[in-house]
Amino acid sequence: MKKKSKRPFHVAFFGDAHIPQKDPVFVDAFDCSQLLAQKKCTILNGGGPGIMLASTLGAKSVQGRVELVVIDPKNEPKNNYEGQSPKNISLANRIFTLKSYQGRINKLIKLSDAYVIFYGGTGTLAEMAYVWSKAKFAYPHQRPLIFFGKKWRKIISTLSRELNLEKIEQKICFFANSPDDVLKILSNFFKNKTDSYSK
């Protein structure tokens, strides 16, 4: 996907930091990032292992650009935090270093033009909730929020029913089961906003 702009199109990847490289979800994240990087997107992630590393490796497999947003090591949470992946760090084209966990999320969200969310734990849920709420407030000028994986429709449907989500909160969710789905969603989303996106 090409953008006629001085600023590259940035796509943030969120998801499980503990998922092994042989897991199908890791492979999905790799393939998705690879496809987007081929379309000249810049890949963004939090510098850790798992899905974050998968997105970096996918982009780098086609000489794509990767930017990371990390917490200064001396300010990282001491317990139950995935930390930085040395391999991920070593491959980055640019690294933004923030002083706090909240600052890291804010920077990732601010830099990104779209978000792809894979399965994950509470960290992923926190990022998802923040991005989701920002999209709601920005509607109809929100940035695309893409849930990757077959389980997400059921998860979002359950949340919508049990938490009584507003229609607008459901309307701004997109679902993808393949890298091609992600590319199609992004292309269609911006079709009426700009003619500068193409396969």
Side-chain angles (χ1 to χ4, degrees):
M1 193 159 49
K2 296 180 180 180
K3 186 178 181 182
K4 296 177 181 178
S5 169
K6 293 182 179 180
R7 182 183 182 277
F9 190 86
H10 289 67
V11 182
F13 279 63
F14 299 111
D16 191 353
H18 303 290
I19 198 162
Q21 294 194 26
K22 292 183 179 180
D23 191 289
V25 178
F26 188 102
V27 176
D28 281 339
F30 178 100
D31 291 345
C32 184
S33 175
Q34 182 184 67
L35 178 60
L36 294 178
Q38 286 175 326
K39 299 299 181 180
K40 308 305 180 185
C41 294
T42 292
I43 302 303
L44 275 168
N45 67 69
I51 294 300
M52 292 173 280
L53 176 60
S55 67
T56 292
L57 294 175
K60 285 301 171 181
S61 71
V62 290
Q63 292 75 52
R65 182 174 178 82
V66 173
E67 296 182 1
L68 307 181
V69 182
V70 304
I71 305 173
D72 188 319
K74 66 187 178 197
N75 293 326
E76 288 183 350
K78 295 181 180 179
N79 298 314
N80 303 312
Y81 177 68
E82 76 273 357
Q84 300 179 20
S85 163
K87 189 170 186 179
N88 200 346
I89 297 296
S90 71
L91 294 171
N93 296 97
R94 185 175 184 180
I95 299 175
F96 299 88
T97 302
L98 282 298
K99 294 181 179 180
S100 68
Y101 180 75
Q102 188 64 41
R104 176 198 189 205
I105 295 177
N106 283 333
K107 188 69 171 179
L108 273 167
I109 291 173
K110 183 177 180 180
L111 289 172
S112 302
D113 298 294
Y115 314 96
V116 184
I117 302 176
F118 290 78
Y119 308 134
T122 55
T124 302
L125 286 174
E127 293 159 347
M128 177 190 86
Y130 195 17
V131 171
W132 200 353
S133 63
K134 295 269 292 182
K136 174 190 173 183
F137 299 149
Y139 182 82
H141 305 293
Q142 81 280 12
R143 299 169 187 180
L145 175 61
I146 303 171
F147 294 90
F148 194 107
K150 295 180 180 179
K151 298 177 185 177
W152 277 119
R153 285 188 183 275
K154 184 176 181 180
I155 292 170
I156 301 302
S157 177
T158 300
L159 287 174
S160 299
R161 182 177 65 254
E162 299 296 335
L163 299 181
N164 194 30
L165 298 184
E166 298 175 32
K167 288 184 178 180
I168 186 62
E169 293 170 322
Q170 301 170 56
K171 184 177 181 179
I172 58 180
C173 296
F174 294 90
F175 300 96
N177 295 326
S178 71
D180 285 336
D181 287 346
V182 173
L183 184 60
K184 184 176 180 180
I185 289 167
L186 291 176
S187 296
N188 288 339
F189 185 89
F190 290 100
K191 193 172 186 179
N192 296 326
K193 299 175 184 295
T194 176
D195 292 324
S196 61
Y197 293 88
S198 62
K199 290 186 178 181

